[in-house]
Amino acid sequence: MSSAAVNIELPQLQNPLMQYLRQDRIPHIWCPGCGIGTSLNAFIRALDEMQFDLNKLAVISGIGCTGRVAGYLNVDSFHTTHGRAIPFATGLKLGNPDLKVVVYSGDGDLFAIGGNHFIHAARRNMDLMVVCVNNFTYGMTGGQVAPTTPLGATQTTMPYGNFEPPFNLPYLADSCGAVYVARWTVYHVRQLTRAFKEGLSKKGFVFIEVLSPCPTLYSRRNRLGDGVEQLKYYKERSVVKNGADTREVGLTFQGDIVVGTFVNRERPTWLDAMNEHFSQRFGDRYQRYGVRHED
């Protein structure tokens, strides 16, 4: 056999989902083992499988590691100030009701500084899809305790363990009136993609919680191993309970994780309710807003 080198021209391969990313922003900032990129992959797959019209999509985020999603997606997007993604998205949706507006942010941004905005947008049934990547900590600013940090977990501002009861996010969303509530982990990629597709197709306030490791600040401080160890935990301790009572899906430190679609119901959106109310009040003198009228 000849020892001469053989030159083989290999085809140029490219991931078909790269078109959904602003490739000039790559590499991303996320740490090895972080699950935010996996959640984004599932979101992009949902868009691709639905052949979603990207001209009808806007993605809004707040501040934090997850907030960088808006900068990486190759769609109309806006990176807002801390905690204000939902009011910005509300204004955008009401300004252009034809848009599908998605808020993609972290637990600290959405439920600490932005908590007030979340409960009122859900109460009003604003037509938004809110995705919360919950890593139980403030990952970008140093690992402070968050509204979702489980009891007993150690954080930089709780060095002897957290004693503040955390939010049960699905229960909060459900009790405030969200029409679709689901929780998955970044281990459940297929289920998460399906949830994104259902959320994108749903009219009204949609809430999807995505549990994700923060190996740099949360896992290391609590001696939970790397991102792979956290995925093993998600695999071994997750229990699928579609339709579960959201009052019973609260999370504990390294305890069982109830995942699934918990709520899927119908009720009028804020815009539908406003149009109905003013139509009854003013009759034919009122022209419905956000509704296409025949010429």
Side-chain angles (χ1 to χ4, degrees):
M1 180 181 292
S2 172
S3 59
V6 177
N7 290 323
I8 301 175
E9 206 168 296
L10 297 174
Q12 293 292 319
L13 300 177
Q14 185 169 13
N15 188 317
L17 300 183
M18 288 299 287
Q19 61 178 311
Y20 293 91
L21 299 175
R22 293 184 173 123
Q23 297 180 43
D24 59 324
R25 303 289 178 89
I26 305 297
H28 57 73
I29 67 161
W30 297 316
C31 302
C34 171
I36 299 172
T38 302
S39 79
L40 179 58
N41 186 303
F43 180 68
I44 289 173
R45 286 187 181 279
L47 295 175
D48 191 65
E49 290 176 13
M50 296 174 74
Q51 291 293 294
F52 202 93
D53 183 357
L54 300 185
N55 291 318
K56 298 289 186 182
L57 175 69
V59 177
I60 314 301
S61 67
I63 299 300
C65 297
T66 310
R68 300 306 291 261
V69 164
Y72 296 139
L73 274 171
N74 191 21
V75 301
D76 286 336
S77 59
F78 199 87
H79 192 191
T80 69
T81 51
H82 209 176
R84 311 306 174 208
I86 288 179
F88 185 93
T90 299
L92 185 61
K93 178 65 184 179
L94 296 182
N96 186 352
D98 287 339
L99 282 177
K100 187 67 184 181
V101 181
V102 176
V103 174
Y104 211 119
S105 213
D107 49 307
D109 184 70
L110 285 170
F111 292 99
I113 298 173
N116 184 48
H117 302 304
F118 181 90
I119 61 175
H120 290 292
R123 174 181 64 84
R124 292 166 172 148
N125 197 23
M126 201 56 66
D127 190 9
L128 304 173
M129 174 170 144
V130 177
V131 178
C132 174
V133 178
N134 181 5
N135 59 11
F136 308 115
T137 189
Y138 282 89
M140 182 172 279
T141 54
Q144 297 88 348
V145 72
T148 55
T149 304
L151 286 172
T154 299
Q155 297 285 260
T156 54
T157 50
M158 287 283 189
Y160 301 104
N162 176 37
F163 55 83
E164 296 179 354
F167 275 136
N168 171 351
L169 299 185
Y171 179 44
L172 179 64
D174 180 15
S175 59
C176 290
V179 295
Y180 181 95
V181 180
R183 171 199 283 153
W184 297 101
T185 77
V186 292
Y187 172 77
H188 301 88
V189 178
R190 291 182 183 276
Q191 296 92 331
L192 183 57
T193 301
R194 186 169 64 244
F196 283 144
K197 291 163 69 175
E198 291 174 350
L200 288 165
S201 303
K202 186 81 176 178
K203 192 175 179 183
F205 192 88
V206 168
F207 176 64
I208 299 173
E209 180 185 19
V210 186
L211 301 188
S212 166
C214 174
T216 302
L217 289 166
Y218 182 81
S219 301
R220 184 165 59 184
R221 177 166 288 277
N222 287 284
R223 300 181 179 180
L224 300 177
D226 57 15
V228 174
E229 290 300 317
Q230 282 296 281
L231 287 183
K232 289 179 181 175
Y233 159 60
Y234 293 159
K235 176 185 177 183
E236 294 167 359
R237 301 299 296 270
S238 291
V239 181
V240 179
K241 288 186 180 179
N242 291 312
D245 187 334
T246 56
R247 292 173 297 182
E248 300 172 358
V249 302
L251 299 170
T252 58
F253 182 63
Q254 294 299 101
D256 287 343
I257 303 169
V258 179
V259 295
T261 301
F262 306 135
V263 175
N264 193 350
R265 61 191 169 203
E266 305 292 336
R267 71 184 184 95
T269 66
W270 186 88
L271 204 52
D272 291 337
M274 182 192 77
N275 280 330
E276 182 62 25
H277 176 73
F278 286 142
S279 292
Q280 291 182 6
R281 180 69 177 82
F282 300 110
D284 294 340
R285 290 178 296 160
Y286 178 69
Q287 187 173 34
R288 287 175 174 259
Y289 178 73
V291 178
R292 292 186 180 280
H293 300 276
E294 294 183 2
D295 294 330

